[in-house]
């Protein structure tokens, strides 16, 4: 894969990280917790499928991309789980679950981008 394609994947990772941050800010400003949780799950599902396809195609560093994928899944569980529980039960999943999940989501997206920039060995 050429550098231009790797850079495009890295920029997609940056876009994902920034999108998570802005969506979290919007949820705090408008209070649309359940909508935000639903959108995050719907937008990340095809992203995870695409990441699996990139790993299979050898377009990204496989180990780092797999770690990125599982970091994204954990972030989704914490972020969306907390927002959903707040919407349905009025209580948090546990203290700071949503911010921790959001940070993990942003980290996961950064790792996706980095996985495209690392040279594959062998």
């Amino acid at each position: 894969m050429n550098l231009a394609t790797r850079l495009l994947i890295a920029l997609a990772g940056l876009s994902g990280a920034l999108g998570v941050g802005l969506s979290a800010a919007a949820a705090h400003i408008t209070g649309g917790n359940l909508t935000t949780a639903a959108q995050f799950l719907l937008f990340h599902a095809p992203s995870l499928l695409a990441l699996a396809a990139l790993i299979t195609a050898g377009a990204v560093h496989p180990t780092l991309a797999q770690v990125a994928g599982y970091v994204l899944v954990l972030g989704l569980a914490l972020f969306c789980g907390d927002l959903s529980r707040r919407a349905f039960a009025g209580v948090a999943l546990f203290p700071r679950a949503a911010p921790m999940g959001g940070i993990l989501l942003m980290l996961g997206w950064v790792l996706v981008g980095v996985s495209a920039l690392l040279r594959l060995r062998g």
Side-chain angles (χ1 to χ4, degrees):
M1 175 180 0
N2 63 30
L3 180 60
T5 303
R6 289 182 183 279
L7 184 58
L8 188 58
I9 296 169
L11 291 171
L14 178 61
S15 176
L18 293 173
V20 168
L22 290 175
S23 295
H28 288 289
I29 292 168
T30 64
N33 287 346
L34 199 54
T35 299
T36 301
Q39 289 174 342
F40 268 49
L41 291 168
L42 289 170
F43 295 148
H44 281 85
S47 299
L48 290 167
L49 291 172
L51 184 58
L54 289 170
I55 292 167
T56 302
V60 292
H61 189 280
T63 305
L64 185 56
Q66 286 176 351
V67 169
Y70 285 107
V71 169
L72 287 170
V73 169
L74 180 58
L76 282 172
L78 292 175
F79 187 79
C80 297
D82 189 63
L83 293 183
S84 297
R85 184 151 189 230
R86 286 173 191 267
F88 287 119
V91 295
L93 194 58
F94 59 84
R96 311 293 299 159
M100 185 184 310
I103 289 168
L104 286 171
L105 284 166
M106 289 185 276
L107 174 62
W109 278 112
V110 168
L111 291 174
V112 167
V114 171
S115 74
L117 298 176
L118 288 180
R119 290 197 185 273
L120 298 175
R121 298 177 193 205

